Amino acid sequence: MSDKSPTNNEKIAELFKNYSDYLYNYAITRVNDTHFAEDLVQETFISALKGYDSFQSKSKESTWLIAILKNKIIDHYRKKSKNYFQQSLDEMQIMDDFFNSSGSWQTDQRPSKWDMDVDKAIEQREFYEILQQCLIRLNDIQRMVFAMKHLDDEDTDEICKELNITATNYWVIIHRAKLQLRKCMETNWVKL
Amino acid sequence: MKKGIMLSCEDTTHLVVKKAYEKLGWWDRMRIFMHLSMCKYCSLFEKQNKFIDDQVAKLDEASLSKLDQDTKAKILEDIKK
């Protein structure tokens, strides 16, 4: 990159200092693989360096970097296989056993009562660590849809388009993800 | 999903999840209400689901995972190549 002016390099180094942890945290919540998350952060900054001249500070720096990173994550899932999300969806439906054939809770899956006082009853950090672990443990399609909806705050239509899934499947994915998350929190966080 | 007024727990939780994002029609709201008034498990699910939603929204800001210093140094070197 000898043609790059040192100022761009310096600016990227500054951005790296400020946002690398933020981007890494964003990636790990979505891909469930530490090495891959590191690679994604690296690739994001390489793209940012290449595109720095066209970035006109129209948006916040962090928003711009996250947009680059997010595209890389979606590309990754798309490249794996054209039907990757469909497979992930099938796998998800085979795996779960929350309800019996008549649609009632299975005896061992019924929700228990929680003490939901995060502020006082438990240390906040521990709570969020467990929540992040539970999110990471969802399968790829659930994690991605859930993160796009809850963390990126995207429209349902937009998510369906980006991931190439139908609206019906979207609701199945979200429903199942919520059941899994709740179960995971009950098992790992709630002291019964 | 069944057409009648009595929903199963599976259908109820599905609608409860959907309700957090979209306004449902009166019929679905009625059916949820009917089921929740009789089913303590689905009522707990609704409450806990709401709680998790509220907390998850804070997750990116909590920024729990960090890169270690060596990895950072290595990545920064590679970027500049």
Side-chain angles (χ1 to χ4, degrees):
Chain A
M1 295 247 175
S2 51
D3 58 329
K4 285 280 169 204
S5 65
T7 36
N8 275 8
N9 262 338
E10 279 164 23
K11 279 172 190 160
I12 291 296
E14 180 70 20
L15 289 179
F16 186 83
K17 198 176 134 222
N18 293 335
Y19 299 116
S20 56
D21 283 333
Y22 183 63
L23 293 185
Y24 177 70
N25 190 67
Y26 183 96
I28 197 73
T29 314
R30 289 156 179 81
V31 299
N32 187 22
D33 177 336
T34 51
H35 289 294
F36 184 50
E38 288 167 17
D39 289 348
L40 283 167
V41 172
Q42 178 169 333
E43 286 169 26
T44 300
F45 281 101
I46 291 171
S47 298
L49 182 58
K50 282 185 192 150
Y52 196 81
D53 291 329
S54 58
F55 170 63
Q56 308 271 332
S57 307
K58 275 175 199 157
S59 57
K60 270 167 62 186
E61 287 164 335
S62 56
T63 311
W64 174 59
L65 291 168
I66 287 288
I68 299 173
L69 174 58
K70 199 177 133 201
N71 275 329
K72 290 189 187 296
I73 295 171
I74 291 177
D75 270 357
H76 157 74
Y77 283 130
R78 279 194 185 139
K79 263 185 221 152
K80 271 183 142 177
S81 145
K82 269 189 183 154
N83 299 318
Y84 184 67
F85 281 126
Q86 190 57 49
Q87 285 164 16
S88 187
L89 188 64
D90 295 343
E91 171 193 311
M92 179 189 92
Q93 280 165 330
I94 295 162
M95 293 289 290
D96 79 37
D97 56 348
F98 293 103
F99 305 99
N100 63 24
S101 53
S102 59
S104 300
W105 291 96
Q106 297 277 19
T107 318
D108 60 344
Q109 299 287 344
R110 290 173 179 163
S112 309
K113 206 170 181 327
W114 295 3
D115 173 10
M116 290 190 283
D117 197 347
V118 191
D119 297 327
K120 287 182 208 155
I122 60 137
E123 286 182 35
Q124 285 221 1
R125 194 177 167 80
E126 187 200 356
F127 172 83
Y128 287 113
E129 271 167 5
I130 296 169
L131 185 56
Q132 188 177 43
Q133 282 309 311
C134 286
L135 189 54
I136 288 171
R137 268 188 240 166
L138 295 175
N139 85 9
D140 286 340
I141 180 79
Q142 290 179 323
R143 192 184 326 107
M144 199 60 203
V145 169
F146 191 83
M148 286 168 93
K149 186 71 206 174
H150 278 269
L151 302 172
D152 302 334
D153 210 12
E154 279 195 50
D155 277 358
T156 300
D157 293 347
E158 190 64 25
I159 296 171
C160 289
K161 215 167 72 186
E162 279 185 289
L163 300 179
N164 196 23
I165 52 175
T166 63
T168 308
N169 282 346
Y170 170 87
W171 289 114
V172 172
I173 293 162
I174 288 272
H175 181 210
R176 264 33 214 187
K178 291 295 188 65
L179 289 163
Q180 296 275 6
L181 259 189
R182 196 212 64 82
K183 175 77 182 166
C184 182
M185 290 307 286
E186 184 163 299
T187 310
N188 295 288
W189 171 60
V190 179
K191 318 274 189 290
L192 296 169
Chain B
M1 200 168 295
K2 292 200 205 88
K3 295 250 188 293
I5 186 134
M6 301 309 287
L7 287 174
S8 66
C9 297
E10 187 166 16
D11 290 342
T12 303
T13 53
H14 187 110
L15 288 176
V16 161
V17 165
K18 205 169 173 178
K19 187 164 73 95
Y21 309 97
E22 289 186 357
K23 190 163 167 52
L24 300 178
W26 72 271
W27 178 240
D28 282 339
R29 293 203 306 274
M30 173 73 149
R31 295 196 295 174
I32 292 173
F33 177 80
M34 290 283 288
H35 186 98
L36 293 183
S37 65
M38 296 181 292
C39 176
K40 67 172 177 178
Y41 302 118
C42 288
S43 300
L44 283 171
F45 175 86
E46 186 196 33
K47 210 187 283 179
Q48 293 162 0
N49 182 57
K50 167 95 173 57
F51 173 75
I52 291 174
D53 281 357
D54 293 345
Q55 301 307 321
V56 162
K58 301 172 191 164
L59 206 54
D60 274 342
E61 293 311 315
S63 216
L64 300 164
S65 306
K66 291 192 183 340
L67 288 162
D68 65 64
Q69 291 306 317
D70 291 348
T71 312
K72 272 190 192 171
K74 198 185 147 293
I75 293 176
L76 198 52
E77 269 314 298
D78 288 343
I79 292 168
K80 287 178 177 172
K81 265 178 205 162

